[in-house]
Amino acid sequence: MRRDLQHWDSALRLAKRLAPEQIPFIAKEYAIQLESTGGYANALAHYEKGITGDKKEQDELSLAGVARMSIRMGDIRRGLNQALKQPSRVLKRDCGAVLENMKQFSEAAQLYEKGLYCNKAASVYIRRENWAKVRELLPHISSAKIHLQYAKAKDADGRFFLQLGDCGSAIQFLVMSKFNSEAFTLA
């Protein structure tokens, strides 16, 4: 009953005496509430108590919470490693957004990339001027804006295809960037 009323401390005390097997489930639910109200330190502790070791869904949710709370509490390495271990793409996106807000751009881009959010990863790599990583992601990027940013950066560097005399690559890049009329004109 205390659990249903969200009297978490009472529910945990009762579970400790009467039903210890319920402690991880109550702790996880309490952690979710604490996270939503900004109580990250306590949420982290309760997410850790929510790990059972034998309940897959329960553990995935608890470990995802540990990853998010670790990042929010400043233990970026732990949170990043935990997020990378989990199969959830959404967790990678959420943790990437938190890291991006914390100005941890390299880690944010890494999570976006592992979560297959290529546009978001490329956007962060562009902010860091990591053109090699942007180039790797180009075939997977659907945003014409990102392709254009990459092209402008390369043009400013004096390394865009036309200045190198590589018209074939320039045409291919324009087609990939969905600038078909410019590609046709150049061809």
Side-chain angles (χ1 to χ4, degrees), residues 62-103:
S62 295
L63 290 168
V66 168
R68 286 190 309 274
M69 294 308 97
S70 295
I71 290 169
R72 288 192 184 279
M73 294 300 300
D75 192 351
I76 293 169
R77 281 291 134 223
R78 179 182 184 200
L80 178 67
N81 290 333
Q82 192 61 52
L84 288 171
K85 287 179 192 174
Q86 299 305 312
S88 171
R89 289 184 65 225
V90 174
L91 173 64
K92 290 173 179 61
R93 183 199 63 207
D94 292 347
C95 288
V98 172
L99 287 164
E100 191 174 357
N101 288 334
M102 294 172 72
K103 309 272 189 266

Short mmCIF file of all heavy atoms in Angstrom, two decimals, residues 62-103:
data_model
loop_
_atom_site.label_atom_id
_atom_site.label_comp_id
_atom_site.label_asym_id
_atom_site.label_seq_id
_atom_site.Cartn_x
_atom_site.Cartn_y
_atom_site.Cartn_z
N SER A 62 17.27 0.14 -14.51
CA SER A 62 18.10 0.63 -13.41
C SER A 62 19.48 1.05 -13.90
O SER A 62 19.99 2.11 -13.50
CB SER A 62 18.23 -0.45 -12.33
OG SER A 62 16.98 -0.70 -11.74
N LEU A 63 20.09 0.26 -14.78
CA LEU A 63 21.41 0.61 -15.31
C LEU A 63 21.35 1.86 -16.19
O LEU A 63 22.28 2.66 -16.20
CB LEU A 63 22.01 -0.57 -16.07
CG LEU A 63 22.42 -1.76 -15.20
CD1 LEU A 63 22.73 -2.99 -16.03
CD2 LEU A 63 23.62 -1.38 -14.32
N ALA A 64 20.25 2.03 -16.91
CA ALA A 64 20.07 3.25 -17.69
C ALA A 64 20.00 4.46 -16.75
O ALA A 64 20.59 5.51 -17.03
CB ALA A 64 18.81 3.16 -18.54
N GLY A 65 19.29 4.30 -15.65
CA GLY A 65 19.23 5.37 -14.66
C GLY A 65 20.59 5.66 -14.05
O GLY A 65 20.95 6.83 -13.85
N VAL A 66 21.36 4.62 -13.78
CA VAL A 66 22.72 4.80 -13.26
C VAL A 66 23.55 5.61 -14.26
O VAL A 66 24.28 6.53 -13.88
CB VAL A 66 23.39 3.44 -12.94
CG1 VAL A 66 24.88 3.61 -12.67
CG2 VAL A 66 22.70 2.78 -11.75
N ALA A 67 23.42 5.29 -15.54
CA ALA A 67 24.18 6.02 -16.57
C ALA A 67 23.79 7.50 -16.58
O ALA A 67 24.66 8.38 -16.55
CB ALA A 67 23.94 5.39 -17.94
N ARG A 68 22.49 7.78 -16.63
CA ARG A 68 22.03 9.17 -16.67
C ARG A 68 22.45 9.95 -15.43
O ARG A 68 22.95 11.07 -15.51
CB ARG A 68 20.50 9.23 -16.81
CG ARG A 68 19.99 8.87 -18.18
CD ARG A 68 18.50 9.19 -18.33
NE ARG A 68 17.68 8.65 -17.25
CZ ARG A 68 17.19 7.41 -17.24
NH1 ARG A 68 17.42 6.59 -18.25
NH2 ARG A 68 16.45 6.98 -16.22
N MET A 69 22.25 9.33 -14.26
CA MET A 69 22.56 10.03 -13.01
C MET A 69 24.06 10.21 -12.83
O MET A 69 24.51 11.24 -12.31
CB MET A 69 21.97 9.29 -11.81
CG MET A 69 20.44 9.25 -11.77
SD MET A 69 19.65 10.85 -11.94
CE MET A 69 19.26 10.88 -13.67
N SER A 70 24.85 9.24 -13.25
CA SER A 70 26.30 9.37 -13.15
C SER A 70 26.77 10.57 -13.97
O SER A 70 27.59 11.37 -13.50
CB SER A 70 27.00 8.09 -13.65
OG SER A 70 26.70 7.01 -12.80
N ILE A 71 26.24 10.71 -15.17
CA ILE A 71 26.60 11.85 -16.02
C ILE A 71 26.18 13.15 -15.34
O ILE A 71 26.95 14.10 -15.24
CB ILE A 71 25.99 11.71 -17.42
CG1 ILE A 71 26.69 10.57 -18.18
CG2 ILE A 71 26.09 13.01 -18.20
CD1 ILE A 71 26.02 10.16 -19.47
N ARG A 72 24.94 13.19 -14.88
CA ARG A 72 24.44 14.42 -14.25
C ARG A 72 25.21 14.78 -12.98
O ARG A 72 25.35 15.95 -12.65
CB ARG A 72 22.96 14.28 -13.92
CG ARG A 72 22.08 14.31 -15.16
CD ARG A 72 20.62 14.46 -14.77
NE ARG A 72 19.74 14.40 -15.90
CZ ARG A 72 19.48 15.41 -16.72
NH1 ARG A 72 20.07 16.56 -16.54
NH2 ARG A 72 18.63 15.28 -17.72
N MET A 73 25.73 13.78 -12.29
CA MET A 73 26.48 14.02 -11.05
C MET A 73 27.96 14.31 -11.33
O MET A 73 28.73 14.52 -10.41
CB MET A 73 26.36 12.81 -10.11
CG MET A 73 24.95 12.57 -9.59
SD MET A 73 24.31 13.96 -8.67
CE MET A 73 25.50 14.06 -7.36
N GLY A 74 28.35 14.28 -12.61
CA GLY A 74 29.72 14.63 -12.97
C GLY A 74 30.66 13.45 -13.16
O GLY A 74 31.82 13.64 -13.52
N ASP A 75 30.18 12.23 -12.93
CA ASP A 75 31.00 11.04 -13.16
C ASP A 75 30.79 10.61 -14.62
O ASP A 75 30.13 9.60 -14.91
CB ASP A 75 30.62 9.93 -12.19
CG ASP A 75 31.63 8.78 -12.18
OD1 ASP A 75 32.52 8.77 -13.06
OD2 ASP A 75 31.50 7.90 -11.31
N ILE A 76 31.34 11.42 -15.50
CA ILE A 76 31.08 11.26 -16.94
C ILE A 76 31.60 9.93 -17.47
O ILE A 76 30.92 9.26 -18.25
CB ILE A 76 31.65 12.47 -17.71
CG1 ILE A 76 30.84 13.71 -17.32
CG2 ILE A 76 31.61 12.24 -19.21
CD1 ILE A 76 31.43 15.01 -17.79
N ARG A 77 32.79 9.53 -17.05
CA ARG A 77 33.36 8.25 -17.53
C ARG A 77 32.44 7.09 -17.20
O ARG A 77 32.16 6.25 -18.05
CB ARG A 77 34.73 7.98 -16.89
CG ARG A 77 35.86 8.69 -17.47
CD ARG A 77 36.20 8.18 -18.88
NE ARG A 77 36.38 9.35 -19.68
CZ ARG A 77 35.95 9.54 -20.91
NH1 ARG A 77 35.32 8.62 -21.55
NH2 ARG A 77 36.14 10.66 -21.54
N ARG A 78 32.00 7.02 -15.95
CA ARG A 78 31.12 5.93 -15.53
C ARG A 78 29.81 5.95 -16.33
O ARG A 78 29.36 4.93 -16.83
CB ARG A 78 30.82 6.04 -14.04
CG ARG A 78 29.89 4.95 -13.54
CD ARG A 78 29.56 5.11 -12.09
NE ARG A 78 28.74 4.00 -11.61
CZ ARG A 78 28.00 4.05 -10.53
NH1 ARG A 78 27.98 5.14 -9.79
NH2 ARG A 78 27.28 3.01 -10.18
N GLY A 79 29.20 7.12 -16.43
CA GLY A 79 27.94 7.23 -17.16
C GLY A 79 28.09 6.90 -18.63
O GLY A 79 27.25 6.20 -19.21
N LEU A 80 29.17 7.39 -19.23
CA LEU A 80 29.42 7.12 -20.65
C LEU A 80 29.61 5.62 -20.89
O LEU A 80 28.99 5.04 -21.78
CB LEU A 80 30.65 7.89 -21.12
CG LEU A 80 31.08 7.69 -22.57
CD1 LEU A 80 30.05 8.25 -23.52
CD2 LEU A 80 32.43 8.33 -22.81
N ASN A 81 30.44 5.00 -20.07
CA ASN A 81 30.69 3.56 -20.22
C ASN A 81 29.42 2.75 -20.02
O ASN A 81 29.16 1.80 -20.75
CB ASN A 81 31.78 3.09 -19.25
CG ASN A 81 33.14 3.61 -19.64
OD1 ASN A 81 33.40 3.88 -20.81
ND2 ASN A 81 34.02 3.77 -18.67
N GLN A 82 28.61 3.14 -19.04
CA GLN A 82 27.36 2.42 -18.79
C GLN A 82 26.39 2.59 -19.95
O GLN A 82 25.75 1.64 -20.38
CB GLN A 82 26.72 2.93 -17.49
CG GLN A 82 25.61 2.07 -16.98
CD GLN A 82 26.07 0.66 -16.66
OE1 GLN A 82 27.01 0.44 -15.93
NE2 GLN A 82 25.40 -0.30 -17.22
N ALA A 83 26.30 3.79 -20.49
CA ALA A 83 25.40 4.05 -21.62
C ALA A 83 25.85 3.28 -22.86
O ALA A 83 25.02 2.76 -23.61
CB ALA A 83 25.34 5.54 -21.92
N LEU A 84 27.15 3.19 -23.07
CA LEU A 84 27.67 2.46 -24.23
C LEU A 84 27.40 0.96 -24.13
O LEU A 84 27.21 0.29 -25.14
CB LEU A 84 29.17 2.71 -24.40
CG LEU A 84 29.55 4.11 -24.89
CD1 LEU A 84 31.05 4.33 -24.80
CD2 LEU A 84 29.05 4.35 -26.30
N LYS A 85 27.35 0.43 -22.89
CA LYS A 85 27.10 -1.00 -22.70
C LYS A 85 25.64 -1.38 -22.94
O LYS A 85 25.35 -2.53 -23.27
CB LYS A 85 27.46 -1.41 -21.27
CG LYS A 85 28.92 -1.46 -20.96
CD LYS A 85 29.12 -1.85 -19.50
CE LYS A 85 30.53 -1.64 -19.05
NZ LYS A 85 30.67 -1.88 -17.61
N GLN A 86 24.74 -0.43 -22.75
CA GLN A 86 23.30 -0.73 -22.85
C GLN A 86 22.86 -0.75 -24.31
O GLN A 86 23.36 0.03 -25.12
CB GLN A 86 22.48 0.29 -22.07
CG GLN A 86 22.80 0.32 -20.59
CD GLN A 86 22.66 -1.04 -19.95
OE1 GLN A 86 21.67 -1.73 -20.13
NE2 GLN A 86 23.67 -1.44 -19.20
N PRO A 87 21.90 -1.60 -24.65
CA PRO A 87 21.44 -1.69 -26.05
C PRO A 87 20.52 -0.55 -26.47
O PRO A 87 20.28 -0.36 -27.66
CB PRO A 87 20.69 -3.02 -26.08
CG PRO A 87 20.21 -3.22 -24.67
CD PRO A 87 21.27 -2.61 -23.79
N SER A 88 20.04 0.24 -25.55
CA SER A 88 19.03 1.26 -25.84
C SER A 88 19.59 2.44 -26.63
O SER A 88 20.49 3.15 -26.16
CB SER A 88 18.42 1.77 -24.53
OG SER A 88 17.60 2.88 -24.77
N ARG A 89 19.01 2.66 -27.81
CA ARG A 89 19.38 3.83 -28.61
C ARG A 89 18.89 5.11 -27.92
O ARG A 89 19.56 6.13 -27.95
CB ARG A 89 18.76 3.75 -30.01
CG ARG A 89 19.36 2.71 -30.90
CD ARG A 89 18.74 2.76 -32.30
NE ARG A 89 19.07 4.03 -32.95
CZ ARG A 89 18.19 4.76 -33.62
NH1 ARG A 89 16.95 4.38 -33.78
NH2 ARG A 89 18.56 5.91 -34.18
N VAL A 90 17.71 5.03 -27.33
CA VAL A 90 17.13 6.20 -26.67
C VAL A 90 18.02 6.65 -25.51
O VAL A 90 18.22 7.85 -25.31
CB VAL A 90 15.69 5.90 -26.19
CG1 VAL A 90 15.12 7.04 -25.37
CG2 VAL A 90 14.80 5.61 -27.38
N LEU A 91 18.56 5.71 -24.76
CA LEU A 91 19.47 6.05 -23.66
C LEU A 91 20.68 6.78 -24.21
O LEU A 91 21.12 7.79 -23.63
CB LEU A 91 19.90 4.79 -22.90
CG LEU A 91 20.98 5.01 -21.84
CD1 LEU A 91 20.45 5.92 -20.72
CD2 LEU A 91 21.46 3.68 -21.28
N LYS A 92 21.23 6.30 -25.31
CA LYS A 92 22.40 6.96 -25.91
C LYS A 92 22.05 8.38 -26.34
O LYS A 92 22.82 9.31 -26.14
CB LYS A 92 22.93 6.13 -27.06
CG LYS A 92 23.60 4.83 -26.59
CD LYS A 92 23.97 3.94 -27.75
CE LYS A 92 24.65 2.66 -27.32
NZ LYS A 92 23.86 1.80 -26.47
N ARG A 93 20.86 8.55 -26.91
CA ARG A 93 20.43 9.89 -27.32
C ARG A 93 20.25 10.80 -26.11
O ARG A 93 20.71 11.94 -26.09
CB ARG A 93 19.11 9.81 -28.09
CG ARG A 93 18.64 11.17 -28.61
CD ARG A 93 17.18 11.19 -28.97
NE ARG A 93 16.40 10.92 -27.76
CZ ARG A 93 15.19 10.37 -27.77
NH1 ARG A 93 14.63 9.99 -28.89
NH2 ARG A 93 14.54 10.16 -26.65
N ASP A 94 19.57 10.30 -25.08
CA ASP A 94 19.31 11.10 -23.88
C ASP A 94 20.61 11.49 -23.17
O ASP A 94 20.79 12.65 -22.79
CB ASP A 94 18.39 10.36 -22.91
CG ASP A 94 16.98 10.19 -23.46
OD1 ASP A 94 16.63 10.84 -24.47
OD2 ASP A 94 16.22 9.39 -22.86
N CYS A 95 21.50 10.53 -23.00
CA CYS A 95 22.78 10.83 -22.36
C CYS A 95 23.62 11.76 -23.23
O CYS A 95 24.31 12.65 -22.72
CB CYS A 95 23.55 9.54 -22.06
SG CYS A 95 22.83 8.57 -20.71
N GLY A 96 23.55 11.58 -24.54
CA GLY A 96 24.26 12.48 -25.45
C GLY A 96 23.76 13.91 -25.31
O GLY A 96 24.56 14.85 -25.30
N ALA A 97 22.45 14.08 -25.17
CA ALA A 97 21.89 15.43 -25.01
C ALA A 97 22.35 16.07 -23.70
O ALA A 97 22.69 17.26 -23.67
CB ALA A 97 20.37 15.37 -25.07
N VAL A 98 22.38 15.27 -22.63
CA VAL A 98 22.86 15.80 -21.35
C VAL A 98 24.33 16.21 -21.47
O VAL A 98 24.72 17.31 -21.04
CB VAL A 98 22.68 14.76 -20.21
CG1 VAL A 98 23.36 15.22 -18.94
CG2 VAL A 98 21.20 14.49 -19.96
N LEU A 99 25.13 15.35 -22.09
CA LEU A 99 26.55 15.67 -22.27
C LEU A 99 26.75 16.90 -23.15
O LEU A 99 27.62 17.74 -22.87
CB LEU A 99 27.29 14.46 -22.86
CG LEU A 99 27.49 13.31 -21.89
CD1 LEU A 99 27.86 12.04 -22.64
CD2 LEU A 99 28.56 13.66 -20.87
N GLU A 100 25.94 17.02 -24.18
CA GLU A 100 26.04 18.18 -25.06
C GLU A 100 25.72 19.46 -24.28
O GLU A 100 26.41 20.47 -24.43
CB GLU A 100 25.09 18.01 -26.24
CG GLU A 100 25.29 19.00 -27.35
CD GLU A 100 24.43 18.72 -28.57
OE1 GLU A 100 23.70 17.70 -28.61
OE2 GLU A 100 24.51 19.54 -29.50
N ASN A 101 24.71 19.41 -23.43
CA ASN A 101 24.37 20.57 -22.60
C ASN A 101 25.47 20.90 -21.60
O ASN A 101 25.62 22.06 -21.20
CB ASN A 101 23.05 20.35 -21.86
CG ASN A 101 21.86 20.43 -22.79
OD1 ASN A 101 21.91 21.07 -23.83
ND2 ASN A 101 20.78 19.75 -22.42
N MET A 102 26.23 19.89 -21.21
CA MET A 102 27.35 20.08 -20.27
C MET A 102 28.63 20.48 -21.01
O MET A 102 29.68 20.59 -20.39
CB MET A 102 27.59 18.79 -19.48
CG MET A 102 26.47 18.40 -18.56
SD MET A 102 26.70 16.76 -17.84
CE MET A 102 28.04 17.08 -16.69
N LYS A 103 28.53 20.67 -22.31
CA LYS A 103 29.67 21.05 -23.16
C LYS A 103 30.73 19.95 -23.25
O LYS A 103 31.90 20.21 -23.47
CB LYS A 103 30.32 22.36 -22.69
CG LYS A 103 29.37 23.51 -22.49
CD LYS A 103 29.17 24.29 -23.75
CE LYS A 103 28.39 25.57 -23.52
NZ LYS A 103 26.97 25.45 -23.76
#
